[in-house]
Amino acid sequence: MKFVSTRGGAPEVSIGEAIRGGAAPDGGLYVPAAPVRLDPDSLPDGPLAALGARLLAPFFDGDPLAPDLPAICAEAFAFPAPLVAPGAARPNLRLLELFHGPTGAFKDFGARFLMACFDRLGGADGPLTVLVATSGDTGGAAGCAAEGRKAVRALILYPRGRVSAFQQHQLCCWGAPVAALEVEGDFDDCQHLVKAAFADPVLAAAHRLTSANSINIGRLLPQMVYLAAAALRVERETGVAPGFVLPTGNLGHAVAALWARALGLPIGPIVAATNANRTLGDWHRTGAYLPAPSLATIANAMDVGAPSNFERLALLPEPRGQLLVVERVDDDAIRDRIRREHDRSGYVLCPHSATAVEAWERLDPELQSERVWIAAATAHPYKFADVVEPLIGETLTPPPALAAILDREARVRRIPATLEALAAALAEEPAAVETA
Ligand SMILES: *Cc1c(COP(=O)(O)O)cnc(C)c1O
């Protein structure tokens, strides 16, 4: 199995090289060179790890990582993704809870999958260094997944004063070989720094730099697995392929669902739910794709004005037709939905998950009733307690995994937003970096 760039200007590579590289050398994103088809009847019920090893095997075919795929899946899918019904009144709505991992958001799956791959790709020539610019969940999941690894280390850059207290703790609490750098600047400065480091041939080679953001195909592939598991379960139970409602910013989930449907999995219509950022909704309505600066919202992990996976979506046949609806849900509607869902069923949604439930509620009742719809619950509401608690009038208790994070000691190292400062941090031993 080979992978090519969305821009068509890079050599074909196998999955290990695509994961090691992150973006393709021509600036595009890696996609499978040829369509893959699977017989869904051949796929197992049961643990996600077993399904993952079967579902992803064609993508790893011919790569040195292939024999390790079952072990990689066992590391990545070490916690469940239950499908729950929020109250009895809406038999056709299920929530796919993707937040039972160690940092309480679905990014744990992708980060663990990616780090398990990197750890096997690092090896003889010295460790890889993952550089992550983050405004929230990605960095925490990556740090957690890299802790204790031998052949990969992680440096996480986050903007000073722009992340919540819990998020900061979750970025700064991981032991070697992980270090968090608080950058004196905003998220764009963090991203520019990471880009500048990758563009510096000396730094990139000396530290064997690689990335863990959502353009890496090693994050998309595992997202297909839990979507596939949920789809198979509902289809085997009801005889009808379920629809999906996916909260999205960078289109990671949406592309994973579209790829899974193209593989042959029983996935019906796909609805993308965004926050107030309008790039995707406008594109779906008008056909014009106009990236814009991102708008800050209370569903901040989806604050994206230029969705990085758009190139992958655009390459599919009739891209606009791939999504049934792109529903834009602004902050007032998110708050309202969190409040109403809690009043109605007692279920507590995080702001991202609330965009999906709101998008489902806005569907035509006829569409709602023709099949089961699976809305992704992407983060534990505790992570957004400051937003959620006043709306529901209750104090949230952290689940054990998040309580364990709060019990850890956090270490902060601040750097100015310059490449020199980042280079200095990169040059230090991970142990020295993390205790600085
Ligand atoms: C990252 C994230 C999203 C959006 O993911 P996409 O890659 O844009 O699909 C949604 N919810 C939460 C909680 C996230 O952390």
Side-chain angles (χ1 to χ4, degrees):
M1 176 83 205
K2 292 291 180 193
F3 295 82
V4 294
S5 167
T6 46
R7 299 188 190 171
E12 287 191 346
V13 295
S14 69
I15 189 70
E17 297 165 292
I19 289 174
R20 165 71 178 88
D26 65 352
L29 309 185
Y30 284 115
V31 294
V36 183
R37 296 284 303 176
L38 276 173
D39 172 13
D41 292 337
S42 74
L43 295 170
D45 285 319
L48 286 176
L51 174 64
R54 283 286 290 284
L55 188 72
L56 301 182
F59 298 92
F60 280 69
D61 194 29
D63 187 89
L65 286 175
D68 279 349
L69 181 60
I72 292 167
C73 286
E75 285 185 43
F77 300 107
F79 42 87
L83 211 44
V84 305
R90 289 155 295 172
N92 278 358
L93 176 65
R94 310 279 169 86
L95 294 175
L96 179 59
E97 293 187 340
L98 299 173
F99 51 69
H100 294 282
T103 71
F106 81 87
K107 295 204 170 64
D108 281 322
F109 287 110
R112 291 164 71 90
F113 191 90
L114 207 51
M115 291 299 170
C117 291
F118 284 148
D119 212 17
R120 289 161 171 88
L121 291 166
D125 302 326
L128 300 173
T129 299
V130 178
L131 267 189
V132 195
T134 189
S135 54
D137 289 332
T138 297
C144 174
E147 190 180 58
R149 299 260 176 207
K150 299 279 184 291
V152 57
R153 57 181 198 141
L155 254 78
I156 302 162
L157 282 70
Y158 68 93
R160 180 179 180 195
R162 310 286 176 107
V163 299
S164 73
F166 180 83
Q167 278 175 326
Q168 168 152 341
H169 197 85
Q170 175 194 263
L171 294 169
C172 299
C173 72
W174 310 108
V178 181
L181 302 175
E182 183 177 80
V183 175
E184 290 165 359
D186 59 18
F187 179 58
D188 287 338
D189 294 323
C190 295
Q191 276 194 311
H192 288 143
L193 268 185
V194 167
K195 279 193 184 142
F198 280 119
D200 183 317
V202 177
L203 273 184
H207 301 291
R208 309 186 73 215
L209 296 182
T210 189
S211 80
N213 60 21
S214 75
I215 60 167
N216 196 308
I217 193 162
R219 254 181 65 174
L220 276 188
L221 294 179
Q223 290 186 17
M224 291 198 297
V225 174
Y226 49 75
L227 299 175
L232 286 167
R233 213 176 114 190
V234 168
E235 200 252 358
R236 285 170 186 172
E237 190 185 302
T238 65
V240 182
F244 277 85
V245 191
L246 302 168
T248 203
N250 266 323
L251 282 172
H253 261 141
V255 168
L258 294 169
W259 283 8
R261 186 165 68 185
L263 271 175
L265 283 148
I267 292 176
I270 297 168
V271 172
T274 72
N275 59 24
N277 284 275
R278 44 187 337 135
T279 308
L280 278 177
D282 286 353
W283 162 75
H284 197 256
R285 216 162 24 80
T286 67
Y289 177 68
L290 302 169
S294 70
L295 218 75
T297 76
I298 57 173
N300 62 8
M302 309 190 330
D303 290 349
V304 178
S308 53
N309 279 297
F310 186 78
E311 287 193 43
R312 287 186 169 118
L313 173 60
L315 224 60
L316 295 170
E318 297 186 47
R320 282 161 76 197
Q322 297 278 345
L323 299 172
L324 176 71
V325 185
V326 176
E327 196 64 46
R328 189 171 150 267
V329 183
D330 66 19
D331 279 358
D332 285 343
I334 292 174
R335 288 196 189 91
D336 204 41
R337 182 50 56 197
I338 291 172
R339 210 182 286 120
R340 288 170 68 177
E341 186 60 52
H342 178 258
D343 287 350
R344 176 178 196 171
S345 68
Y347 195 92
V348 184
L349 295 162
C350 91
H352 311 81
S353 314
T355 66
V357 174
E358 174 66 14
W360 183 81
E361 296 282 355
R362 291 182 192 173
L363 284 180
D364 190 286
E366 228 166 275
L367 275 173
Q368 285 179 340
S369 64
E370 73 191 11
R371 63 184 73 241
V372 168
W373 292 83
I374 297 171
T378 47
H380 193 283
Y382 180 79
K383 296 189 85 170
F384 303 90
D386 51 339
V387 173
V388 174
E389 285 177 347
L391 295 171
I392 63 170
E394 276 175 27
T395 307
L396 296 172
T397 17
L402 299 185
I405 286 177
L406 290 169
D407 283 344
R408 283 170 165 252
E409 205 178 306
R411 289 165 293 256
V412 180
R413 172 182 172 141
R414 187 174 302 158
I415 64 164
T418 66
L419 189 57
E420 291 69 38
L422 177 57
L426 274 166
E428 293 178 36
E429 290 303 308
V433 172
E434 58 126 1
T435 52

